[in-house]
Amino acid sequence: MATGKINVSVDNIFPLIKKFLYSDHEIFLRELISNATDATLKLKHLTSIGEAKVDYGNPIIEVKVDKEGKKLHVIDQGLGMTEEEVKKYINEVAFSGAEEFLNKYEDSAKDAGIIGHFGLGFYSAFMVAEKVEIITKSFKDEPAVHWTCDGSPKFTTKKSNKETRGTEIILHIAEDSTEFLEEHRITELLKKYNKFMPVPIKFGMKTETLPKPEGAKEEDPAPTKEVDNIINNPNPAWTKQPTDLKEQDYKDFYREMYPMQFEEPLFNIHLNVDYPFNLTGILYFPKLTNDLNVQKDRIQLYQNQVFVTDNVEGIVPEFLTMLRGVIDSPDIPLNVSRSYLQADGAVKKISSYITRKVADKLSSLFKNNREDFEAKWNDIKIVIEYGMLSEDKFFEKADKFALYPTVDGTFFTFEELQEKIKASQTDKDDKTVVLYASDKEAQHSYIEAAKAKGYEVLLLDSPIIGHLMQKLETSKEKISFARVDADHIDKLIQKEETQISKLSDEEKETLKTELEKVIGEKSSYTVQLEAMDSDASPFIITEPEFMRRMKEMQQTGGGGMFGMGNMPEMYNLIVNTNHELVGEILSTKTAKKKERLINQSLDLARLSKGLLKGAELTEFIKRSYEMVK
């Protein structure tokens, strides 16, 4: 038996490992199984090129819990190690690697958000174990080795009587980590991190029901047998070629990833590239609502089929983090902080590639089956609009397939829309005005007034549409957006001809004074007298486009004006000086009747705008019944 001391300058590296290496102790199992997988796949490669003269067979990795003995075993049938290799890879490389890693990250490890560190993962075992044993036999014809270390830099090595090729790691679980002796906890970890590992992982046995033999009676129980409980799928869909997969395979894999999702995804995008970086994966567009809250089921990042994280910011463009699916790349550096990731050249290329693939897929869906694309628009528009706002290259491509639906359910691309409305909706300054509503019901009377003029009204109701309209107004020439209730329709699209008012300037001044007296000085309404068609409404309440849009944009982040969200609501009260009722208000001699007519007219306008609520609505109804009597 040989004893020795690991040559590290830190007196005791293990408390540091426990304290700084990972905030999440549970990843020790991921690391050990990752190493076991490497050892198995390396053996496969050596046998395929004739360097290892052994029968590769059908190796598995086995995880065993010995609750009474407080031990956890991870056993593989891979390369194994000779005594010389144990000395090199365990005593020298692993621990010097650990020390170097800790020296680099000791101060910042907690803040850096270390994602993982593959290859040197063996020493993570000491986060949960007070003692670790390695029993290993190399595929070369050399004696087996038994290495033991108790969490100090001292270790012992002796010969072992292990006869089968491979490595067994035995963790003597520490008192503060006994959760890892519970079968349900180990099952949970294996399913979280190792669900798609490329080598089958066995954890215990399970009972399998066999077909009944011929001639068996209906009441006879079906025969059963005990089989290995393999908890992973070594050949997940993303590792296969798109040509080998049917639509159902993609749907089945979505179920496998998100068993609690009951809605089918709308469509998928298969990623498969090997130059200038390696990346495979499948992204799914789920049905999305206008709720921008973080999705519960997120894109999962793997490295060679080992789960790393479902926090993929910096790798996947932000607008696509609302999608679901999997990305697997050996080229994403996993042992660094997220701020480093965002500046990494390879990661930027990966992010651009994913953006391009998504844009190309959406473009082909639009071209190949526009009707289906239109049917799905409401479920995917948030992602597309967000992408157009945040990624210029995506904007360029999406500008050709992004849709603008009307209140009547017709869909236009921006180019088609421009062509359709240019003649009728261009104002006296040669600017094309795009009219839109955000709520068909609440803005019904305004929509009808616009349609009566032969104008198209879009239905734009996503929470970020204000930001997108601003981008379109700055990137397109002579275009502006106006919500139908931002002003009366003749003012929204001003033509050369102007209406002549039936009231003289003096009468208008008198009317304005009387209106302001009834409405009150502290009112949120600014009175504007306008000459309109005599059949247009007498009183119209509008909310100026600029002010309202700035407020809305500030609520969804941005908007450029500080404190906008705290501003009081401001409205314009537009009074049609050509309407019969307005003339009657002016000519009414009784002050009380005049006040009642003004209040009733104002409340009707507020009702139309959805602003009449609570006690004021009750009072209005009561007053209206009195008038009917």
Side-chain angles (χ1 to χ4, degrees), residues 422-441:
K422 202 168 179 120
S424 61
Q425 289 178 222
T426 299
D427 67 11
K428 61 184 175 60
D429 301 319
D430 201 30
K431 189 173 259 195
T432 304
V433 181
V434 181
L435 297 175
Y436 72 99
S438 58
D439 186 324
K440 270 204 305 194
E441 300 302 316

Side-chain angles (χ1 to χ4, degrees), residues 22-301:
Y22 300 100
S23 52
D24 216 344
H25 286 183
E26 67 178 36
I27 62 86
F28 80 92
L29 191 57
R30 176 190 79 181
E31 298 293 304
L32 295 181
I33 289 179
S34 192
N35 287 350
T37 303
D38 283 349
T40 309
L41 296 179
K42 278 174 186 162
L43 181 67
K44 184 181 188 178
H45 176 68
L46 292 179
T47 52
S48 71
I49 60 171
E51 257 189 54
K53 311 284 187 196
V54 294
D55 176 17
Y56 179 70
N58 296 301
I60 62 167
I61 293 164
E62 185 175 6
V63 179
K64 291 201 290 196
V65 169
D66 171 5
K67 199 167 178 179
E68 281 182 28
K70 292 189 177 173
K71 288 185 285 193
L72 182 70
H73 303 248
V74 177
I75 305 156
D76 70 57
Q77 296 157 16
L79 282 173
M81 288 181 281
T82 62
E83 187 170 357
E84 203 51 43
E85 286 167 338
V86 168
K87 187 178 169 190
K88 181 180 174 184
Y89 294 117
I90 302 299
N91 299 343
E92 292 170 17
V93 175
F95 284 102
S96 63
E99 183 176 36
E100 181 195 335
F101 190 67
L102 286 167
N103 287 343
K104 190 173 175 186
Y105 286 111
E106 190 171 333
D107 296 332
S108 61
K110 285 288 181 199
D111 306 321
I114 293 166
I115 300 174
H117 192 82
F118 288 84
L120 299 175
F122 165 70
Y123 51 77
S124 65
F126 288 97
M127 294 191 302
V128 300
E130 57 191 14
K131 181 167 89 172
V132 177
E133 297 178 70
I134 301 173
I135 303 168
T136 182
K137 181 168 173 60
S138 171
F139 72 96
K140 300 167 188 169
D141 189 19
E142 292 203 30
V145 186
H146 187 164
W147 178 94
T148 310
C149 181
D150 64 358
S152 72
K154 293 180 182 143
F155 65 88
T156 62
T157 311
K158 61 181 181 182
K159 285 192 169 48
S160 160
N161 56 7
K162 178 176 168 65
E163 291 179 4
T164 53
R165 175 193 75 227
T167 300
E168 176 173 8
I169 293 178
I170 305 165
L171 281 69
H172 296 259
I173 300 295
E175 281 304 318
D176 63 357
S177 299
T178 52
E179 63 181 287
F180 300 114
L181 294 168
E182 301 296 335
E183 280 192 21
H184 70 88
R185 183 75 170 107
I186 297 301
T187 302
E188 178 195 351
L189 293 186
L190 292 173
K191 290 206 165 157
K192 178 175 178 181
Y193 292 110
N194 308 103
K195 194 174 176 179
F196 300 114
M197 292 289 278
V199 179
I201 300 163
K202 173 188 171 184
F203 184 50
M205 305 292 285
K206 66 177 180 182
T207 305
E208 204 170 76
T209 305
L210 300 170
K212 286 186 183 181
E214 250 184 81
K217 294 177 182 167
E218 202 175 313
E219 61 271 19
D220 289 348
T224 59
K225 69 169 180 178
E226 289 291 297
V227 294
D228 288 351
N229 180 31
I230 302 297
I231 58 92
N232 61 322
N233 169 6
N235 303 298
W238 84 81
T239 62
K240 299 171 185 174
Q241 288 299 316
T243 47
D244 297 335
L245 295 166
K246 296 185 173 67
E247 196 52 43
Q248 192 56 44
D249 296 321
Y250 287 110
K251 286 180 179 174
D252 291 346
F253 180 59
Y254 185 75
R255 279 277 160 274
E256 200 177 340
M257 287 203 72
Y258 308 110
M260 299 311 290
Q261 272 301 330
F262 302 111
E263 275 195 297
E264 295 284 356
L266 296 166
F267 50 85
N268 62 71
I269 299 160
H270 198 126
L271 307 169
N272 194 347
V273 63
D274 53 18
Y275 182 81
F277 47 80
N278 277 290
L279 180 131
T280 53
I282 300 170
L283 295 180
Y284 293 91
F285 262 78
K287 278 192 172 184
L288 293 170
T289 61
N290 279 353
D291 183 3
L292 280 177
N293 290 337
V294 176
Q295 300 289 324
K296 177 171 59 73
D297 292 316
R298 299 191 290 188
I299 294 171
Q300 297 177 8
L301 177 68

Side-chain angles (χ1 to χ4, degrees), residues 468-603:
L468 183 60
M469 287 188 294
Q470 192 161 1
K471 176 147 187 155
L472 288 163
E473 285 169 343
T474 52
S475 63
K476 309 270 183 196
E477 282 187 15
K478 296 190 173 179
I479 280 281
S480 73
F481 283 79
R483 203 166 85 178
V484 283
D485 58 349
D487 209 328
H488 80 78
I489 195 65
D490 293 339
K491 265 297 197 52
L492 288 176
I493 306 176
Q494 279 193 302
K495 305 288 186 180
E496 290 296 350
E497 68 273 5
T498 54
Q499 289 275 350
I500 297 164
S501 176
K502 288 180 182 175
L503 303 183
S504 67
D505 288 350
E506 196 181 331
E507 284 174 317
K508 285 198 275 190
E509 200 53 50
T510 307
L511 178 64
K512 191 172 183 186
T513 306
E514 289 180 342
L515 289 166
E516 285 172 345
K517 193 163 67 182
V518 173
I519 291 165
E521 279 179 30
K522 292 181 180 172
S523 159
S524 54
Y525 298 102
T526 304
V527 177
Q528 285 177 217
L529 302 183
E530 300 281 357
M532 296 187 270
D533 289 344
S534 56
D535 57 357
S537 297
F539 282 30
I540 302 169
I541 292 170
T542 64
E543 200 174 354
E545 176 75 16
F546 175 76
M547 301 291 280
R548 194 209 70 252
R549 202 192 296 182
M550 284 296 137
K551 274 178 74 84
E552 286 172 359
M553 284 165 65
Q554 203 227 16
Q555 283 157 10
T556 53
M561 289 189 72
F562 180 74
M564 212 63 194
N566 304 321
M567 286 186 66
E569 300 287 350
M570 297 300 291
Y571 299 101
N572 292 331
L573 173 63
I574 297 167
V575 179
N576 180 2
T577 59
N578 289 342
H579 196 281
E580 193 183 336
L581 176 63
V582 174
E584 192 183 328
I585 289 170
L586 186 65
S587 60
T588 299
K589 299 283 185 280
T590 328
K592 204 165 186 183
K593 187 184 176 189
K594 189 174 280 194
E595 187 179 332
R596 196 167 74 242
L597 279 173
I598 292 171
N599 279 328
Q600 191 71 3
S601 303
L602 175 61
D603 282 351

